Amino acid sequence: MSFISNLINGISLGSIYAIIALGYTMVYGIAKMLNFAHGDVIMIGCYVVFTTMSGMQFHPIVSVILSVVVCTVLGVVIEKVAYKPLRKASPLAVLITAIGVSYLLQNVALLIFGADTKSFTSVVTLPSLKLAGGSLVISSVTLVTVVACIVIMIGLMLFIKKTKAGQAMLAVSEDKDAAQLMGVNVNGTISLTFAIGSGLAAIAGVLLCSAYPTLTPYTGAMPGIKAFTAAVFGGIGSIPGAFVGGILLGIIEIFGRAYISSQLSDAIVFAVLIIVLLVKPTGILGKQIHEKV
């Protein structure tokens, strides 16, 4: 029964990684940028929920909606201020800027909220699900997390395939200049991508802090790195790849922590990533792109 319990916990954690990874993979797939400040947007979203629920006594649903709105606006502002001027710059310049934005958000949170650990109140208050005569208990946070991940992934795929904005995203991901010549608003499309990714970061952050109820200015740092790893693992630029990579990463981490070593669980995760990339450099569902010269 402990194996099944660990598997469920792994799927739950992996679902959180998958939601974060969806933001990474969308931004990279469409704007060809690695937004390493994404993990800190998660942290900001958690602080919005913490402040509105604990300090202002808002209803959890209202707090989550406010968190999504704040993170969406923050994502657009970051793209306009930090990344848009570097659209033609080298990848190294964008990477350094992303790291700078990450440290900026962390230090702003330190100044406002302090370095002490806050106790986060779960936004999910539904009863747990008991199976096998009560010997297997699945928490409501786990159920909501897995369902939310599946719904978000399906919703994103339908959005990209069925809507005009989604088709514009596909066009921009193929060739920005050609898309602009065809009348696509490239700047607006990239801003929309950042907005969606940052909104997803808020949801992932709330679910993460509901499952692991502590909050500091560094809460989003490691989950952000692991979610990026999940995106690469599954095939960065692929929405199903981000989902698969996130789930597998969560399962590997929980099983590594349970059966090998809790101290080495992170090392095991990155070791598996290295092995996968040695065997299949594009990731599990990634496709090799051949560029014509």
Side-chain angles (χ1 to χ4, degrees), residues 72-113:
T72 299
V73 173
L74 179 61
V76 174
V77 170
I78 289 172
E79 191 275 328
K80 293 290 185 186
V81 174
Y83 298 141
K84 186 178 178 181
L86 300 174
R87 201 72 60 77
K88 303 287 186 181
S90 67
L92 181 60
V94 177
L95 178 62
I96 293 171
T97 302
I99 294 171
V101 173
S102 173
Y103 280 118
L104 174 64
L105 293 177
Q106 288 179 14
N107 282 276
V108 168
L110 275 170
L111 288 171
I112 297 174
F113 301 104

Side-chain angles (χ1 to χ4, degrees), residues 103-255:
Y103 280 118
L104 174 64
L105 293 177
Q106 288 179 14
N107 282 276
V108 168
L110 275 170
L111 288 171
I112 297 174
F113 301 104
D116 57 312
T117 301
K118 304 289 192 298
S119 180
F120 192 91
T121 303
S122 175
V123 299
V124 182
T125 57
L126 300 172
S128 299
L129 178 65
K130 295 182 179 180
L131 302 174
S135 58
L136 179 61
V137 179
I138 304 175
S139 70
S140 56
V141 175
T142 296
L143 292 172
V144 170
T145 300
V146 174
V147 171
C149 179
I150 294 171
V151 169
I152 288 170
M153 185 197 68
I154 294 173
L156 275 178
M157 292 181 70
L158 290 175
F159 173 78
I160 288 175
K161 290 181 179 179
K162 301 293 184 181
T163 67
K164 187 176 180 180
Q167 293 299 305
M169 287 179 178
L170 288 176
V172 172
S173 69
E174 289 292 330
D175 190 320
K176 293 186 184 67
D177 295 331
Q180 193 163 18
L181 289 173
M182 295 300 293
V184 175
N185 184 348
V186 173
N187 290 330
T189 301
I190 292 176
S191 293
L192 178 61
T193 304
F194 271 83
I196 293 173
S198 299
L200 294 180
I203 296 172
V206 169
L207 293 172
L208 175 67
C209 286
S210 294
Y212 304 91
T214 57
L215 178 59
T216 73
Y218 307 105
T219 290
M222 185 55 74
I225 292 172
K226 289 181 180 176
F228 171 69
T229 303
V232 176
F233 193 14
I236 193 161
S238 167
I239 290 177
F243 175 79
V244 171
I247 296 296
L248 289 177
L249 203 73
I251 293 172
I252 291 167
E253 181 176 339
I254 293 298
F255 274 82

